[in-house]
Amino acid sequence: FFRELLENAEKSLNDMFVRTYGMLYMQNSEVFQDLFTELKRYYTGGNVNLEEMLNDFWARLLERMFQLINPQYHFSEDYLECVSKYTDQLKPFGDVPRKLKIQVTRAFIAARTFVQGLTVGREVANRVSKVSPTPGCIRALMKMLYCPYCRGLPTVRPCNNYCLNVMKGCLANQADLDTEWNLFIDAMLLVAERLEGPFNIESVMDPIDVKISEAIMNMQENSMQVSAKVFQGCGQPKPAPALRSARSAPENFNTRFRPYNPEERPTTAAGTSLDRLVTDIKEKLKLSKKVWSALPYTICKDESVTAGTSNEEECWNGHSKARYLPEIMNDGLTNQINNPEVDVDITRPDTFIRQQIMALRVMTNKLKNAYNGNDVNFQDTSDESSGSGSGSGCMDDVCPTEFEFVTTEAPPVDPDRREVDSSAAQRGHSLLSWCLTGVVLALQRLSR
């Protein structure tokens, strides 16, 4: 949506300026093309300082227009460089550059960071889904799911609370993601609100051609005063050859822009608007809060897994067909020290899960800065950095994650934990994979 928004804005400006200025615009169109090229490069993860880039655009535009309104003179490169230094002092384009700079930087920072956040969330979910169950988890799963058959109780399903303890032990490290994940989702929702309000990139880019045209008209109206002050500061330029001096300024640059007609605007991406798009994404983001701590409950309420909460007397409790008596463990690794069903080593947090927690923490910090309209210098996968920030965006509908991880696969099981039967391990892993698939698919849809 954002990329198409940029394409539409560029096309609209080009069409409008060709109709208005014709050859004069086409001879100087690279100034505007470069503006959009740099905006796209920033959005897709390039090292672009937005403020410096916009200052450069207005300085270049002033140089070109200054030559067009003063065709009777010849300007050297050094003279034009002097002219560009007067951009801030003379304000030849009125207040448009200052306002547009604020609007563009805030909107692009918010848009790029928001998309990066969706990317990071998706990548974290994908990576966590690859974490292999421990041997202790596999033993507990086997006991819960298959021991009833050995006891002659093939139709009796596990007790709900029994399942919860097994799953809380198996997903102890995943549950530790919850705190940082919830902070990340809260930060995403805050930036989404900015996208709907003052940092709305659609409301900035859609009329950008009209705003630039307003700036050019300001320059036309103040051309005599601007020229006089530049001549005073940079010196009297040399007269142009006779052929050029014969052409007066009005003959070169005297047209005005037509009134803006909204019906000529290209349709927005996918026939929707940013407000509707963000509203939809916000609802889905809210649904993903507490997803990691809720996993055991999501799995154990499945009718195909447990006997349910209404059948607590006629269920498999790990030993017989009877009520499950042990208390339910709290969430997270440290709370599994007394888990009666799964042997959990609370002194050895899963390093791979901890990497994902750090990835979320870094992204949350960036989102908070984007909420305040600030960009942050983050090291991206190409080891580039700049004062305006770097990172990965989305290019060709593929959003590479912003963070480099030590591995993209789950760490292997330690040698001293390989005593478990390989077929049992496979069945246990299949169950956990099945359990996590629904969550991952939901998050993937959200990231799109």
Side-chain angles (χ1 to χ4, degrees):
F1 178 86
F2 290 147
R3 287 196 304 273
E4 187 170 336
L5 198 62
L6 286 171
E7 295 290 343
N8 285 345
E10 183 175 16
K11 182 179 184 300
S12 179
L13 183 143
N14 185 71
D15 292 346
M16 182 183 186
F17 279 42
V18 167
R19 289 195 307 270
T20 304
Y21 283 130
M23 189 58 66
L24 275 178
Y25 163 71
M26 288 185 276
Q27 290 172 345
N28 298 279
S29 61
E30 74 274 7
V31 175
F32 303 92
Q33 291 169 359
D34 289 348
L35 169 66
F36 283 97
T37 297
E38 290 299 286
L39 288 174
K40 292 173 190 174
R41 193 163 73 87
Y42 173 84
Y43 176 72
T44 55
N47 294 322
V48 178
N49 185 310
L50 288 174
E51 187 170 337
E52 290 179 3
M53 183 272 292
L54 290 168
N55 289 341
D56 183 59
F57 164 73
W58 292 112
R60 290 179 66 195
L61 186 59
L62 175 60
E63 289 179 14
R64 299 297 178 93
M65 287 194 63
F66 193 76
Q67 294 177 83
L68 291 172
I69 63 177
N70 293 287
Q72 67 273 33
Y73 296 107
H74 170 72
F75 301 101
S76 65
E77 290 296 323
D78 290 341
Y79 196 96
L80 290 175
E81 187 175 340
C82 178
V83 171
S84 67
K85 293 178 181 177
Y86 279 80
T87 308
D88 291 334
Q89 180 182 338
L90 298 177
K91 290 184 169 50
F93 300 111
D95 205 31
V96 175
R98 184 189 66 82
K99 290 181 179 179
L100 200 60
K101 184 193 299 181
I102 294 172
Q103 294 169 347
V104 168
T105 52
R106 288 179 173 178
F108 271 77
I109 289 168
R112 183 172 86 159
T113 308
F114 188 75
V115 173
Q116 287 175 352
L118 290 175
T119 302
V120 169
R122 180 190 63 192
E123 291 299 321
V124 166
N126 281 335
R127 288 188 164 104
V128 172
S129 72
K130 296 176 182 177
V131 174
S132 300
T134 64
C137 169
I138 294 170
R139 281 192 294 271
L141 285 171
M142 291 292 292
K143 179 182 176 182
M144 181 179 81
L145 296 174
Y146 295 103
C147 283
Y149 291 88
C150 304
R151 296 293 177 90
L153 302 170
T155 60
V156 179
R157 292 176 181 168
C159 299
N160 183 74
N161 290 353
Y162 174 32
C163 173
L164 286 175
N165 273 345
V166 171
M167 287 303 170
K168 288 198 175 197
C170 285
L171 300 172
N173 281 285
Q174 286 85 338
D176 283 348
L177 276 165
D178 219 45
T179 300
E180 205 61 52
W181 178 269
N182 292 338
L183 292 172
F184 161 72
I185 296 297
D186 287 339
M188 287 287 290
L189 290 170
L190 286 174
V191 175
E193 289 178 6
R194 290 295 207 201
L195 286 173
E196 290 178 309
F199 297 179
N200 188 316
I201 191 173
E202 186 175 26
S203 65
V204 171
M205 293 308 297
D206 200 42
I208 196 170
D209 51 359
V210 178
K211 292 177 181 178
I212 294 176
S213 75
E214 179 188 340
I216 292 175
M217 284 189 282
N218 287 334
M219 172 70 179
Q220 288 179 264
E221 292 169 358
N222 300 319
S223 60
M224 293 184 64
Q225 297 95 312
V226 170
S227 297
K229 289 182 179 178
V230 169
F231 293 159
Q232 183 179 0
C234 298
Q236 190 69 19
K238 296 179 180 179
L243 183 62
R244 287 190 62 190
S245 61
R247 296 201 298 262
S248 63
E251 292 172 334
N252 278 267
F253 202 74
N254 64 351
T255 47
R256 293 292 183 95
F257 286 91
R258 300 191 305 168
Y260 164 57
N261 183 2
E263 295 179 359
E264 297 176 358
R265 180 81 55 206
T267 56
T268 56
T272 183
S273 70
L274 182 61
D275 289 339
R276 288 169 54 193
L277 188 64
V278 173
T279 298
D280 181 55
I281 292 176
K282 279 170 63 180
E283 291 305 310
K284 293 175 180 175
L285 282 169
K286 290 174 184 177
L287 293 175
S288 73
K289 284 197 72 172
K290 299 185 178 179
V291 65
W292 303 106
S293 60
L295 267 179
Y297 298 91
T298 303
I299 294 166
C300 295
K301 73 178 181 181
D302 192 312
E303 294 180 355
S304 64
V305 178
T306 69
T309 56
S310 62
N311 196 9
E312 295 182 0
E313 302 292 340
E314 302 290 319
C315 57
W316 172 251
N317 66 8
H319 303 283
S320 61
K321 180 181 176 181
R323 174 183 289 268
Y324 182 76
L325 298 177
E327 65 174 331
I328 301 173
M329 297 293 102
N330 290 325
D331 302 319
L333 184 63
T334 57
N335 289 316
Q336 306 311 309
I337 187 170
N338 294 317
N339 191 310
E341 309 304 335
V342 186
D343 294 328
V344 182
D345 185 354
I346 67 169
T347 65
R348 298 181 63 186
D350 190 297
T351 56
F352 190 77
I353 296 289
R354 265 53 194 174
Q355 289 175 4
Q356 314 314 309
I357 292 174
M358 183 55 66
L360 290 171
R361 189 170 296 158
V362 171
M363 192 66 236
T364 299
N365 185 53
K366 190 171 186 182
L367 287 163
K368 288 179 179 178
N369 279 279
Y371 175 78
N372 294 318
N374 301 321
D375 212 350
V376 182
N377 177 20
F378 276 77
Q379 187 172 9
D380 64 14
T381 54
S382 59
D383 292 325
E384 296 173 335
S385 62
S386 72
S388 179
S390 61
S392 59
C394 295
M395 188 175 292
D396 299 329
D397 293 321
V398 177
C399 297
T401 183
E402 182 179 3
F403 306 99
E404 283 285 6
F405 294 93
V406 176
T407 176
T408 57
E409 297 296 333
V413 178
D414 294 334
D416 60 348
R417 298 168 126 188
R418 291 178 180 165
E419 72 279 6
V420 182
D421 176 73
S422 61
S423 62
Q426 186 175 7
R427 285 191 292 272
H429 187 273
S430 297
L431 176 66
L432 273 187
S433 297
W434 169 75
C435 294
L436 289 170
T437 295
V439 176
V440 174
L441 287 175
L443 291 169
Q444 284 179 328
R445 292 192 199 103
L446 174 60
S447 72
R448 295 186 189 124

